[in-house]
Every structure is written in structure tokens, then in C-alpha cells.
Amino acid sequence: MIINGIIAKQVDAAALKVSQATSAIPVYLGQAPIWQVDDENWADKAGETFVVKSIDDMREKMGYCVPDSGAFSKAQSLSMVAKYHQDEEKIFPVIMVNNKAAITATSTARCTVTFTKGFAKIAGSDTVLSSLKLTDGDSTTYEKGADYTVAYDETGQNVVISSSTLTTAEVDRKVVNPATIPFGADTYEEIDYIPQNTGYVPASLSAPLWDKEEDTGGNIIMAKLAAIAEEPIDKHYYAQAFGQLEGTTRTAALTEKENFTSEKLRVCWPYVKIKSYIYPVSLVFSARKETVDKRNDGIPYESASNESVPISFLCTKAGNQIKQLEEEADLLNANGICTMAFTTNMQWNTWGVCMANYSDDNRSNIPPNKLNDVAVQMMDFICNDFELRFGDIVHKPMSIRQAHDIVESYGKTLNAYVSEGMLIAGTISFEPSENSTADLAAGQFTYSIEETNTPPAKAIIANVTYDSDALNNYFATEEEE
């Protein structure tokens, strides 16, 4: 096949022998309450991709709804993402891909509202806002904007109607049933279009609260996202996936994990309680990864593990507390599960540099570029970085000087990554043996880049020994004095 465009391919290294700055942000797929946007074409937002910069931004573009109970539903999954990123991680933007499944809206019985101090309320998050109409119950239809205004409140749980003239009104409206909305299998198609639709490179893919659900094509959503992450997005860009296990015990989580072994997937467990809200650990990790990458100028050479997060406690999806010691967290890590641990800093920290392919028992068979999250994301980054830097050269004249200028230019970049401690080693070469006359004539130029990530310090060991010989000099010290 003739290759067209700039391509950076990942090539596996040999199995490890064990002895005695791009603009990349997370991508979340899920459901937003798009029916809450006051737009007659609200249904067209199904399947759309949005860059979200705040809760207010999401509310305007997609709708926003949070539960009174603190336990988010699948229909509130993207609202949960916005709330966590703004209230807890305090970092934006994020990319949200709204579920592409069609939503059915049905008419409901007419109701009467009474205005108190200029306001009336309809409880519930399921009203299609643009469908709401007020009448006097007879022949008069009130005009929106002139006689009244309507909007959801800040929580998205109530429709608030305001009017300076009305005392009562009859309301006609349509409603949706969020609990019945499936996950459209065609939603994934939007991922390839993210760079051109947003100008961002996806750093990670996840579908919080939908992870273990089946889409309309019969795929487990977490497994499907892992498979997508194993291939470049739009033939160019590499990302990793995050997923959440649902088991209520460590034993159940370990059993559940056996079905997920992708080297591009970070499997997380359990949930956390923060204030009154429950969040999946997968969201905690993906949001913290954005924070860590941002403080490192977009270069993902540092893991999002061992980062303090002010949680109240670990819990199940239902909010039931789970107790966990650090050694129990280590057991999960040893089997490729990322979690939370109460560490020596006397706080709860993210815990785990492993991908889903990892296990202590199989460590010697895992290539070093797939051994931990830093190795995976730095190889992803180098590929993305190379393409973004030199994509403009494609279809332009490539003189021998231009070909070698790429080596010189990117060699300096790799040297800078090494000098900053982001890589241990990094080299680029343009070799005759890899560029045949036929390839050059066809306009195909092949470069070899070798990189070695700076490994995260997974274990630091101090051997402390009691020195009994010191007692032999106990009295001798006194005599010297």
C-alpha cells in the first residue's frame, strides 16, 4: 500500500529481561442533558463534539444536571465530568463527545403552575426546554421572552419560569426518559474527527459510568475504547484509554479485571466519595493526568500516580465505604489495576503506574515500552510530537539537505528531552538501508527514532541493618573522654 502523509509508527522493543509538548487533553464520551438547551434543534447535538471550558460553558452548549443524592446516573455522566474537573481538579478544557443515540421526546399531561414573587417551578430534569409553552388554558398563548422567560436552575433539576405579570399559567411540554437512552455504537466514529473539530489531540479516551455497559452494537464500551486506543486516531495520533471496574470487593475487581488486558488501557477501581458526591477512580486518574501533563508543559513524562486527592473515603458505586491498606492497593497494582492508597504523606493518593496488560507474574514478558503508563504515553507523545512538527513538509520538495535537517532539528528536540530528564535517551537517524531507491522515488522517507523513557520510581528500598559492633566501643568512648 502506498503511504500518503506523515506517519509515526510504534515498533515493539524486545521483551525486558528482569534480573535479581503538544496540546493533548482528555476526551470523555457519554450523555449530557441536551434536551435542557433552549434550542428547537437540541436533538441534533446527539453525536456532536464539544470543547468544554467550565460548567457554565457546558450548561450553555450541552445542558448540565447533577443529582441531589450525590450518585450520578449514566445520563449525568458528562455533567459529572464537568463538576469534577471544575470543583475538584480545577482544570479545563476537556473534550466531550455526546452519545449519538437518538432521544425520543413525548408529550406529557398539561400542568398548572403558580407564580410566587415572579417565579414558578417545574420539578425534574427531563423537560425538553424548547418545547415548553404557557397559555391561559383557553385561547391565549403567552409569548416567551415578552410574557415570561424559562431556564433550568443551576443543578439542572428544576425548570424555573419567571414572569413579572403572570400569576398562574397552564404548561404544555415534552419530556424524555434519560434512563432508557442506550449508548449508540456510532458514537465512536466521532473520535477520528476530534483533531479537526477541536484543534486538540486526544490524550485519553474514557466513558465514565458507561464502562461496563453494552453499546447498541453489543460491545462492552470500555473494551471498545481500549481497542480504539490501540490504533492511531485519524491514522496519526496516539492516546490511552481509561476504564472503571464495578466490583464491590477487591476479589471481585481482580476477577473482573481478567477480561481487560490491553496495554493501552488503564483499569481503575473503586469509587471515591468527595463531599456528597461519588466519582469513579478512572475519572480521578484521567483528570489528574491533565493536571500533571499541564505542569510539565504538555510532555507526559510523569505518571499521574502518587498524587494527593482530598477524598473522604473509598466506596462502591452505591456509596458504601471500602477500607483499603496500602499493601492491598499494591496487590491491585500487581495485577494491572490502578487505585487509591493512603500513603506515608497521611493522605489518599492515586496509586498505580500500571496499564491493564501488567502483572508481576508476567513482567519479564512485557516489552519495556509497554511496562508502565509513562513508557506508553511517552512513546505516544514522541509519535504525536514528530507528526505535528513536520506535517507541513508533506507533498513539498524533499532535498537531501531537507531530509537531514529533520534529523538535526528533531535530534536537538530529543536531546532537550534527555537533558531535562524527560527521557533517558533519544536519537533519530535517516539511513540508506531503510530508504530504497523505489521508496524515495515514490516520495516515502523513513526515519528511525529510538527513545527510552525515564522510568517512574515504582519502589525505593532502603536496607537498614542494626550494627552490633558499635556496642563493643561503648565504654571505650567514655575512656577517651
Side-chain angles (χ1 to χ4, degrees), residues 122-184:
I122 298 175
S125 62
D126 57 353
T127 294
V128 177
L129 198 61
S130 62
S131 73
L132 191 143
K133 292 180 174 56
L134 269 62
T135 71
D136 65 354
D138 193 5
S139 60
T140 301
T141 298
Y142 299 119
E143 184 180 349
K144 185 190 295 185
D147 298 314
Y148 69 94
T149 59
V150 61
Y152 271 92
D153 65 9
E154 287 191 351
T155 68
Q157 291 288 352
N158 302 283
V159 175
V160 178
I161 309 169
S162 61
S163 175
S164 60
T165 59
L166 300 178
T167 55
T168 64
E170 298 297 308
V171 178
D172 294 313
R173 63 193 174 110
K174 290 183 178 181
V175 297
V176 301
N177 185 354
T180 64
I181 301 172
F183 192 92

Side-chain angles (χ1 to χ4, degrees), residues 210-228:
W210 292 88
D211 306 84
K212 298 298 296 300
E213 299 289 327
E214 282 193 4
D215 61 31
T216 55
N219 306 292
I220 298 298
I221 294 172
M222 176 165 62
K224 180 66 175 180
L225 290 179
I228 291 172

Side-chain angles (χ1 to χ4, degrees), residues 71 74 113 121 128 164 166 178 202 204 242 266 370 377 392 409:
K74 290 181 298 183
V113 295
K121 182 175 73 172
V128 177
S164 60
L166 300 178
S204 60
F242 286 85
R266 299 197 75 180
K370 298 176 181 178
Q377 60 201 31
D392 289 345
S409 174

Side-chain angles (χ1 to χ4, degrees), residues 250 253-254 269 324 328-337 339 354:
R250 271 176 296 279
L254 287 165
W269 183 86
Q324 181 160 276
E328 293 170 322
D330 291 342
L331 174 63
L332 295 173
N333 285 181
N335 288 276
I337 301 175
T339 187
C354 48

Side-chain angles (χ1 to χ4, degrees), residues 143-381:
E143 184 180 349
K144 185 190 295 185
D147 298 314
Y148 69 94
T149 59
V150 61
Y152 271 92
D153 65 9
E154 287 191 351
T155 68
Q157 291 288 352
N158 302 283
V159 175
V160 178
I161 309 169
S162 61
S163 175
S164 60
T165 59
L166 300 178
T167 55
T168 64
E170 298 297 308
V171 178
D172 294 313
R173 63 193 174 110
K174 290 183 178 181
V175 297
V176 301
N177 185 354
T180 64
I181 301 172
F183 192 92
D186 50 353
T187 306
Y188 310 116
E189 297 170 3
E190 300 305 312
I191 294 174
D192 271 342
Y193 294 96
I194 286 172
Q196 61 182 272
N197 286 340
T198 69
Y200 289 96
V201 173
S204 60
L205 307 172
S206 62
L209 302 185
W210 292 88
D211 306 84
K212 298 298 296 300
E213 299 289 327
E214 282 193 4
D215 61 31
T216 55
N219 306 292
I220 298 298
I221 294 172
M222 176 165 62
K224 180 66 175 180
L225 290 179
I228 291 172
E230 289 170 0
E231 300 293 333
I233 294 169
D234 187 24
K235 87 172 185 179
H236 289 294
Y237 308 114
Y238 293 89
Q240 61 180 277
F242 286 85
Q244 179 76 19
L245 301 175
E246 300 293 344
T248 57
T249 66
R250 271 176 296 279
T251 300
L254 287 165
T255 300
E256 189 181 352
K257 159 63 181 58
E258 293 174 2
N259 297 314
F260 303 97
T261 57
S262 172
E263 69 272 4
K264 296 304 297 289
L265 173 66
R266 299 197 75 180
V267 175
C268 303
W269 183 86
Y271 288 75
V272 297
K273 190 76 173 287
I274 302 179
K275 304 180 184 69
S276 61
Y277 292 97
I278 300 168
Y279 299 101
V281 167
S282 63
L283 175 56
V284 175
F285 264 88
S286 62
R288 183 52 58 95
K289 172 176 164 53
E290 184 177 9
T291 296
V292 172
D293 290 351
K294 184 176 181 180
R295 76 184 182 213
N296 292 326
D297 297 323
I299 304 174
Y301 69 93
E302 182 181 355
S303 176
S305 182
N306 200 21
E307 292 279 317
S308 297
V309 179
I311 73 172
S312 302
F313 52 79
L314 304 183
C315 63
T316 65
K317 189 175 184 178
N320 300 318
Q321 185 172 4
I322 293 174
K323 293 185 177 181
Q324 181 160 276
L325 298 174
E326 187 175 325
E327 63 181 7
E328 293 170 322
D330 291 342
L331 174 63
L332 295 173
N333 285 181
N335 288 276
I337 301 175
C338 298
T339 187
M340 305 291 293
F342 196 80
T343 67
T344 51
N345 68 351
M346 296 299 153
Q347 296 183 59
W348 285 102
N349 283 17
T350 54
W351 203 245
V353 298
C354 48
M355 305 301 288
N357 65 317
Y358 182 82
S359 72
D360 278 357
D361 293 341
N362 192 46
R363 183 174 59 171
S364 61
N365 296 317
I366 302 174
N369 59 308
K370 298 176 181 178
L371 194 57
N372 54 58
D373 62 335
V374 175
V376 168
Q377 60 201 31
M378 277 306 288
M379 180 164 273
D380 287 353
F381 171 78

Side-chain angles (χ1 to χ4, degrees), residues 418-476:
V418 172
S419 65
E420 293 294 325
M422 300 171 181
L423 294 174
I424 287 179
T427 60
I428 180 172
S429 61
F430 179 68
E431 301 294 341
S433 61
E434 294 182 328
N435 292 274
S436 68
T437 301
D439 285 345
L440 295 177
Q444 179 170 307
F445 297 79
T446 300
Y447 291 83
S448 292
I449 300 175
E450 294 185 356
E451 58 86 33
T452 305
N453 70 283
T454 304
K458 187 176 178 181
I460 299 175
I461 300 169
N463 293 317
V464 181
T465 304
Y466 182 83
D467 183 7
S468 60
D469 290 341
L471 293 176
N472 295 332
N473 299 320
Y474 184 79
F475 290 106

